[in-house]
Amino acid sequence: MKYDLGDLNAFVAVARSRGFRDAARASGASASGLSEAVRRLEAQMGVRLLNRTTRSVVPTEAGERLLARLAPALGEVEAALDVVNGFRDKPMGTLRLNVPVTAARLVLPRIVPEFLAAYPDIRLEVIAEDSFVDVLAAGCDAGIRYDERLEQDMIAVPIGPRVQRFAAVASPAYLAGRGRPEHPRDLLDHACLRGRFSSGSMPDWEFSRDGELVRVDPPAQLIVQSGGAMDLALDAALAGCGILYLFEDWLRPHLDTGALEPVLEPWWDSFPGPFLYYPGRRLVPAPLRAFVDFVRAGSPQRG
């Protein structure tokens, strides 16, 4: 039995967006047209794919299974059709990236303006979230993650700084009132400002010096969701509420002005920088190929 490609795309758009209006805004189609396409597909298949209420649209079990298989397949079709992009003077189309908030804040600002200027016909969409996702199932072409979170069948391209550090900092007022820790375990007696992942985990703070690795689970005066809400923790640190542990690059402007001071700096732990990654078993869409080449050719100051 043959199915209309437009109906299949409509289902994927609605299932991902969890609503007809949001899907319409994302796809440029009308909500009524998407609704009719999904109804037509359900009638042809003889099974309900979406549960609809006045407040939400959620895939049924059959819909979830179809989405899991269909989204990557449609991505392959789109990539195959995109081959003709190679015959244009400049690639065009949409490039979707899934990145952690830190990459959106610390890595992409050094790359995106130049890339968009070089490729004005490419539309870049960036989804910033700290949970690990299947980029294809999420409708993205590529992602940015760190080495320990990369899957083996992915192609990984270095992007951004190749060495980064986590830094512990506090305001001069806090340190004047509470004293300065001399060893990571001293943090157990301090007010700390911590981040928690959306999964619920709150990672220990890691420090290393002369081959000694120390992990501490300090008491939290403030807990925020890792990612975008870390700005609240940063504001609290600037206001003297406690000690913050975050990417050094994120904190650097405040360290340079003296608004924050290093804490336990000889113990700051370094780690390899992030990677741009994408599946190696599919055709590479022209916008992604252009971005990969742009990153690989990046100047030292961009990395």
Side-chain angles (χ1 to χ4, degrees):
M1 183 179 294
K2 293 184 178 180
Y3 297 95
D4 185 270
L5 189 60
D7 292 350
L8 295 172
N9 274 307
F11 162 71
V12 170
V14 175
R16 282 176 177 162
S17 300
R18 295 298 197 265
F20 289 95
R21 290 183 180 178
D22 289 342
R25 282 192 290 267
S27 65
S30 68
S32 60
L34 292 173
S35 178
E36 178 58 32
V38 172
R39 275 198 296 267
R40 189 164 52 241
L41 184 62
E42 288 178 325
Q44 190 174 4
M45 289 187 167
V47 63
R48 178 177 290 276
L49 300 173
L50 300 172
N51 286 321
R52 307 159 177 81
T53 69
T54 56
R55 294 186 177 182
S56 66
V57 175
V58 179
T60 62
E61 181 180 358
E64 288 284 7
R65 292 190 180 185
L66 178 62
L67 179 64
R69 299 293 297 271
L70 189 57
L74 289 177
E76 291 288 348
V77 171
E78 184 177 346
L81 295 174
D82 187 63
V83 167
V84 298
N85 239 333
F87 294 93
R88 305 181 194 275
D89 292 334
K90 286 190 175 182
M92 63 184 299
T94 298
L95 170 62
R96 300 179 183 87
L97 300 179
N98 186 284
V99 308
V101 173
T102 52
R105 185 184 184 98
L106 304 177
V107 175
L108 291 182
R110 304 179 185 182
I111 299 172
V112 166
E114 293 180 37
F115 176 74
L116 295 180
Y119 296 96
D121 295 325
I122 292 178
R123 183 178 71 172
L124 178 63
E125 295 183 14
V126 177
I127 297 92
E129 56 184 353
D130 285 314
S131 58
F132 187 72
V133 300
D134 182 329
V135 290
L136 290 182
C140 296
D141 301 292
I144 295 178
R145 289 295 184 273
Y146 287 85
D147 187 51
E148 71 274 9
R149 303 194 72 179
L150 292 178
E151 298 179 18
Q152 292 185 350
D153 61 346
M154 293 288 177
I155 295 176
V157 178
I159 186 172
R162 298 325 308 143
V163 177
Q164 294 182 286
R165 292 197 298 179
F166 275 113
V169 300
S171 71
Y174 176 86
L175 295 173
R178 295 289 299 271
R180 184 180 294 274
E182 298 296 330
H183 189 278
R185 294 189 184 91
D186 294 341
L187 294 170
L188 298 175
D189 297 320
H190 282 265
C192 295
L193 314 171
R194 303 187 60 180
R196 173 182 285 153
F197 289 117
S198 56
S199 64
S201 67
M202 191 160 61
D204 292 344
W205 291 3
E206 293 189 1
F207 299 89
S208 63
R209 184 179 186 181
D210 299 330
E212 180 185 3
L213 177 64
V214 179
R215 294 186 177 92
V216 294
D217 183 17
Q221 175 105 36
L222 172 68
I223 300 174
V224 301
Q225 182 171 325
S226 294
M230 291 305 299
D231 278 331
L232 174 59
L234 176 55
D235 289 340
L238 290 166
C241 295
I243 297 176
L244 177 64
Y245 179 81
L246 192 58
F247 284 83
E248 180 185 4
D249 292 343
W250 199 323
L251 301 166
R252 178 50 56 189
H254 304 289
L255 289 167
D256 290 343
T257 64
L260 294 173
E261 294 184 4
V263 173
L264 298 168
E265 186 170 7
W267 289 87
W268 289 0
D269 195 30
S270 61
F271 52 93
F275 292 85
L276 173 72
Y277 74 99
Y278 57 96
R281 60 181 183 274
R282 62 173 297 193
L283 294 170
V284 179
L288 174 58
R289 186 167 59 249
F291 189 72
V292 170
D293 291 344
F294 190 84
V295 168
R296 281 178 168 155
S299 59
Q301 61 265 28
R302 204 186 293 145

